[in-house]
Amino acid sequence: MYLGLLSSLPWWIAAPLIQLAVLVFGMALDETYVNRTTVLTGAIGVHIHAFVAGEVGLFVGLYADIGLLIGAYGLYAYVTDAYVGAAFRIVAFFCYSPLSVFLVILTAGPILFGVEPLFVPALAAAGYGNVRLREYLAPNDPYYFGPESEAAFEAAVEAEAETGPEVQAGTATGPSNATAATATDGPAGTSGRASADGGNAAQFGDAPGDGDDDPTGAEPTAASESTERGILPQFMRRI
């Protein structure tokens, strides 16, 4: 009977590989180390650990369940391009980054009186590591949660609404509308996520020069101080 590639491996090798794949997937979705989707994938990784270990203490169990709830909101914000506030950003930054999840899983083994005594030190160490990582990589930012403020988010949405009717019409009617098709080929035809996030087309893998022949001369609807929003986009495209 065929067991599959991972099933044929020892559990102590297969489980970390699956967890690593889940964490990398979360980073790849928004192309940064910590973003709106990594909370959910981190929580899933902890649940995978719980299934493999058979049981976890109170701290790790609550950590995984709360992560699912917060992560579901983060995924919703990612899909709908909704703004996430400071509370979500702080929790994702200090508690559910891939480093935080890794250290929680690594120290989840010892259980004393039903709780993991190393749980809090693991989160503290991860938080310190995240702060130092951000300082080390400056001015590049490995953390991305959308626009920096709700005002910036609303401004991007309003700019898209004012300049994008033809783009939206092209999406609705398809290539039969020549004007809309031309608009969607250029920079103004970037996806709703690119505009609402405050980034530009280069962040989502558009080939350089795709909009060079756009006769409308349209500009991206949202401000774009740089062509990359984090440290991972170019790396992800190379993969």
Side-chain angles (χ1 to χ4, degrees), residues 149-179:
S149 66
E150 189 169 3
F153 171 78
E154 292 176 353
V157 173
E158 290 176 1
E160 179 185 6
E162 292 174 358
T163 61
E166 291 185 352
V167 177
Q168 295 172 1
T171 303
T173 60
S176 59
N177 186 322
T179 303

Side-chain angles (χ1 to χ4, degrees), residues 2 61-62 64 90 96 134 163 166 188 201 218:
Y2 179 69
L62 288 176
I90 291 173
Y96 288 96
R134 192 170 197 173
T163 61
E166 291 185 352

Side-chain angles (χ1 to χ4, degrees), residues 110-213:
I111 300 177
L112 186 62
F113 301 113
V115 299
E116 294 85 355
L118 298 178
F119 175 78
V120 174
L123 285 185
Y128 175 76
N130 288 333
V131 171
R132 294 305 304 269
L133 177 63
R134 192 170 197 173
E135 294 174 351
Y136 176 77
L137 294 174
N140 293 321
D141 195 348
Y143 306 92
Y144 179 76
F145 304 99
E148 290 297 324
S149 66
E150 189 169 3
F153 171 78
E154 292 176 353
V157 173
E158 290 176 1
E160 179 185 6
E162 292 174 358
T163 61
E166 291 185 352
V167 177
Q168 295 172 1
T171 303
T173 60
S176 59
N177 186 322
T179 303
T182 303
T184 53
D185 288 339
T190 55
S191 69
R193 177 166 298 112
S195 298
D197 283 353
N200 64 26
Q203 297 166 351
F204 302 93
D206 293 348
D210 280 352
D212 291 345
D213 298 328

Side-chain angles (χ1 to χ4, degrees), residues 25-237:
F25 177 72
M27 291 187 287
L29 280 180
D30 241 0
E31 298 182 337
T32 42
Y33 170 64
V34 176
N35 55 65
R36 293 166 292 184
T37 62
T38 48
V39 176
L40 180 61
T41 55
I44 293 174
V46 178
H47 274 286
I48 294 173
H49 166 75
F51 283 124
V52 173
E55 64 174 352
V56 293
L58 177 63
F59 287 165
V60 173
L62 288 176
Y63 175 81
D65 291 339
I66 293 173
L68 285 180
L69 296 177
I70 299 175
Y73 170 72
L75 181 62
Y76 166 81
Y78 170 79
V79 171
T80 63
D81 290 323
Y83 173 76
V84 294
F88 180 92
R89 296 168 187 243
I90 291 173
V91 170
F93 183 98
F94 288 105
C95 298
Y96 288 96
S97 70
L99 177 60
S100 304
V101 171
F102 172 75
L103 291 182
V104 165
I105 293 175
L106 188 65
T107 60
I111 300 177
L112 186 62
F113 301 113
V115 299
E116 294 85 355
L118 298 178
F119 175 78
V120 174
L123 285 185
Y128 175 76
N130 288 333
V131 171
R132 294 305 304 269
L133 177 63
R134 192 170 197 173
E135 294 174 351
Y136 176 77
L137 294 174
N140 293 321
D141 195 348
Y143 306 92
Y144 179 76
F145 304 99
E148 290 297 324
S149 66
E150 189 169 3
F153 171 78
E154 292 176 353
V157 173
E158 290 176 1
E160 179 185 6
E162 292 174 358
T163 61
E166 291 185 352
V167 177
Q168 295 172 1
T171 303
T173 60
S176 59
N177 186 322
T179 303
T182 303
T184 53
D185 288 339
T190 55
S191 69
R193 177 166 298 112
S195 298
D197 283 353
N200 64 26
Q203 297 166 351
F204 302 93
D206 293 348
D210 280 352
D212 291 345
D213 298 328
D214 182 8
T216 63
E219 296 296 331
T221 57
S224 55
E225 288 78 8
S226 65
T227 57
E228 301 293 352
R229 67 185 179 198
I231 61 171
L232 292 182
Q234 291 183 350
F235 171 74
M236 288 297 178
R237 294 191 198 110

